[in-house]
Amino acid sequence: MDNPLVKKKTLKQIILSVVDEVKEQNGQTVSYRCSAYEKNGNRCNYGQKILVPSNFRRHIIGSHPEVANNLGIGDGTSGEPPTKKSKTTKIMVETDRATIILGTLKLATTNSLPLRYPDWEGMTILVGPLWKAVDLEMSRDKVTKLVGLATEILKKLMIDEMRGKVIHAKIDSASRRGRSFFGINVQFTNEKDCVIVRHLALHEMIDRQTKENLKHVMDNEFQEFGIAKNQLLTVAHDNGANMVASVQLLKRLVDSNDDDQGPSVGAIVRKEKAMIDAHVGGCSSDINDDDLGDDDESSWIKDGDELTTDDFDADHELVDHAFQDDTDDNDLIELDLIESTRCAAHTAQLAVWDVLKEYKGRLAMINKVCIKMRHKAFQQLFHMHKYPLPPKINETRWNVWYIVLKYLLDLRESPFLSILANTDASLDLSRQWQFIEKFGAAFEPLFELTLRLQKDHVPLSQFYADWLVCQAKLDGIKEGNILATKLLKSMQKRIKKLSSTKVFKACLLLDPRFNFVGSKRLSPADKKEAQEYLLTLDKRLDEITGIQMRQGNEKENTSLHQSNFVDDYLTDFFEEDSSSSEHVQPPDDSLLIDLITLETREKVNISFRQCEGGLNAEPFDIVEYWNKRKFCNPRLHRLALAVISAPSTQVTVERLFSRTKIVLSDYRMKLSDETLKNLMLLKMNSDLLPKVAKILDDDESFK
């Protein structure tokens, strides 16, 4: 420390008293050398060519503190030299208050940090200066308040976003850490004609999940977000009986209030109905009426304890009802305003289960070998050869048996398998390889189908196309593979319930892969029902949007696409021929003319769209197809997007539960229902958070 008694003008004089001048023969000073002595008695060798008093002073304080104190230039101590004052580096950061609010909000929602994170020491050091710079005081209570305000703003944004839109809902239930939850998603087309998914609610079910309670929750959540009953077009759910029944109750509630809202969907004026009866065309139905027998859909893992061992890694805390029994639609009252659609991905797994339960004994034996491979006695061996351990069986994990048996097929190609067999003879699978090979070949198309159905939105016609492609692949390998034969029969049976809804038939009517010249993929009755549905839905859209649209025929200019083995299979499956069907003169109604004219389109390949020149084939996109026709026929385009935006799965609700697992961890079990609900609403709709942060920045009450 500087001694205030020492003035700068006398410092040189003081330093010269302990410095010797080294001079040449001519008397000129060439350097300056410290004249003090070290503790060992040797003279100090510090010197300077040009005298800098301040540098000499630091040397004397550091090396000769007693001399410095005697001269009055020290810090008053005889110990180590004083520590240099650290320099504070100022960093220029280009940001604003809204951005900092957004980051603060995302840390608590998108990144799932505990609400107390502002009190963490590291967070205070790193982010505290930014909060202080924009006059934000953050703590646990402040973050909780911020989440609450953001939730209310987000709800208002979503209400505005969904106003005047056709809404499709998706529902599912699950449990986490002993708490039961009911999730609701919705989806619709925005102003850019894109289908977007919005998370509506994660509701904790205190009461039993009966159909009445589930219906009550749905009704309350739809009212909270300003969704009118006439806006709801479909509700997608799994095959659980309580889910199906709750949707039916919701439909009944809507139907009872429908007198004030005009005719329900499915009701058609006599003139239009008579015109459809006279002019609809088509041939045989695409539904196979063969009686394949009743099936038992109970979980065979529960029936046979062969697979219930402590070595399983089943996650029973998130129950996705992957193999829950389905209910009979014939026992339910069929009403027309809201369509109840079953999850295609869930139904595909039920088709898998239909076949798996017949081979539970053989699969149990294979699984015992996999369990033994994971024992500690062999773990070191796997580690030495850098080979992964066999996957664990989880009965709620889709395609888990295919994943396990595919692992074994890959293991067979590795020399590591012979090492395992030589180590323990019980690991020998030589008697099972033929079954494993056939299993892998049969279930690979279902595995690929499930992956394709994992997108946020898969239109009903696209799911059906993928389903038929899967059937075609199974049909190609069914000779000599009994597993493929049984799987194909199960899929043909399961598709009946999925393809029986009006919105499904309407999607096929609008899709050139299913409705084209000479197509028999829709029966005359199905075409008639789909046209009735679309004509009345057009009136419903006028009510919802407040805009009446009337326009003439759409002109089609779709190039003929090359067929492949899938289309060959479908041609045989639907008993089609290449000749064009005869069409009568359509009636004098613009929309009905448009719908009937769709039958004159040329065929589009069901599995891919061929690009110009026949190269670089890419998948057909039904949304893109209709967006290209927006301006030539806006009325039909509006109608098509309303139907195409209907979901075929409810996998986005499954993702909601998966992310709930991250938020509701072992360390956050005390989160209230309201807080958890708000956090998940913000987390699952994170693309709206920038708008929320901007509104919060302008909100005077938050400053």
Side-chain angles (χ1 to χ4, degrees), residues 486-522:
K486 292 181 178 180
L487 202 51
L488 179 59
K489 289 183 178 180
S490 179
M491 291 189 69
Q492 290 173 341
K493 179 182 178 181
R494 290 283 181 183
I495 194 61
K496 291 181 180 180
K497 291 183 178 180
L498 299 182
S499 60
S500 61
T501 64
K502 296 176 183 178
V503 66
F504 176 87
K505 297 171 184 177
C507 275
L508 265 58
L509 187 76
L510 296 166
D511 196 316
R513 295 173 293 180
F514 299 97
N515 189 22
F516 52 85
V517 175
S519 170
K520 298 180 181 179
R521 299 178 185 183
L522 281 170

Side-chain angles (χ1 to χ4, degrees), residues 280-297:
V280 70
C283 296
S284 61
S285 173
D286 63 325
I287 297 179
N288 185 0
D289 292 329
D290 293 338
D291 185 8
L292 300 178
D294 297 331
D295 57 357
D296 178 14
E297 295 169 1

Side-chain angles (χ1 to χ4, degrees), residues 7 12 20 60 142 159 194 219 284 314 352 355 412 478 484 530 628 647:
K7 297 182 179 180
K12 182 177 180 180
D20 293 337
I60 293 172
K142 295 286 186 179
I159 291 173
C194 298
D219 191 41
S284 61
V352 170
V355 180
R412 187 177 62 168
K478 66 181 181 180
K628 288 182 178 179

Side-chain angles (χ1 to χ4, degrees), residues 115-307:
L115 297 176
R116 66 177 183 275
Y117 80 86
D119 300 329
W120 294 351
E121 183 178 357
M123 197 65 67
T124 303
I125 295 173
L126 290 176
V127 189
L130 292 176
W131 287 329
K132 184 177 180 181
V134 295
D135 296 327
L136 284 177
E137 183 181 348
M138 282 294 120
S139 63
R140 188 193 189 284
D141 294 338
K142 295 286 186 179
V143 172
T144 304
K145 179 183 177 181
L146 176 64
V147 169
L149 291 173
T151 300
E152 295 303 318
I153 295 172
L154 182 67
K155 286 182 179 180
K156 293 178 181 178
L157 291 176
M158 292 174 61
I159 291 173
D160 293 339
E161 197 177 35
M162 293 184 291
R163 185 177 291 112
K165 299 290 192 337
V166 170
I167 304 298
H168 304 277
K170 295 182 279 189
I171 61 174
D172 199 6
S173 62
S175 62
R176 174 64 180 164
R177 293 292 189 267
R179 298 169 66 174
S180 181
F181 297 99
F182 181 63
I184 306 175
N185 283 176
V186 295
Q187 63 185 51
F188 51 90
T189 54
N190 61 9
E191 285 71 15
K192 297 181 180 179
D193 297 328
C194 298
V195 179
I196 61 173
V197 179
R198 287 281 175 246
H199 164 70
L200 217 62
L202 178 71
H203 187 89
E204 184 170 5
M205 299 295 296
I206 305 300
D207 299 326
R208 292 181 58 211
Q209 293 191 32
T210 62
K211 58 184 180 181
E212 292 83 4
N213 291 337
L214 294 179
K215 187 273 299 180
H216 180 70
V217 171
M218 283 190 286
D219 191 41
N220 288 342
E221 295 297 342
F222 291 147
Q223 290 182 13
E224 183 174 355
F225 283 87
I227 299 176
K229 294 182 176 65
N230 68 337
Q231 287 182 260
L232 281 173
L233 191 60
T234 64
V235 179
H237 50 81
D238 61 22
N239 289 269
N242 59 338
M243 293 293 177
V244 178
S246 65
V247 177
Q248 298 300 324
L249 285 179
L250 187 66
K251 293 170 64 174
R252 185 179 305 174
L253 175 66
V254 173
D255 187 73
S256 64
N257 298 330
D258 199 49
D259 293 338
D260 298 332
Q261 300 175 359
S264 65
V265 174
I268 192 71
V269 294
R270 293 183 179 179
K271 178 181 177 181
E272 291 173 334
K273 186 175 182 66
M275 290 188 294
I276 293 174
D277 291 339
H279 298 281
V280 70
C283 296
S284 61
S285 173
D286 63 325
I287 297 179
N288 185 0
D289 292 329
D290 293 338
D291 185 8
L292 300 178
D294 297 331
D295 57 357
D296 178 14
E297 295 169 1
S298 60
S299 173
W300 59 263
I301 283 185
K302 294 179 181 178
D303 295 338
D305 292 336
E306 299 153 297
L307 300 183

Side-chain angles (χ1 to χ4, degrees), residues 446-464:
L446 260 296
F447 177 75
E448 295 173 352
L449 173 63
T450 305
L451 293 181
R452 286 193 291 270
L453 295 178
Q454 294 303 305
K455 297 178 181 178
D456 285 352
H457 174 56
V458 180
L460 289 166
S461 62
Q462 182 58 51
F463 125 71
Y464 189 48

Side-chain angles (χ1 to χ4, degrees), residues 2 27 32-33 56-57 67 98 155 159 163 238 270 274 285 317 371 494 496 507 544 591 645 655 671 692:
D2 292 340
Y32 300 87
R33 185 176 180 181
F56 251 112
R57 176 178 177 272
V67 175
K155 286 182 179 180
I159 291 173
R163 185 177 291 112
D238 61 22
R270 293 183 179 179
S285 173
E317 294 164 337
I371 292 174
R494 290 283 181 183
K496 291 181 180 180
C507 275
I544 295 173
L591 181 56
S645 59
R655 293 193 179 100
L671 280 176
V692 172

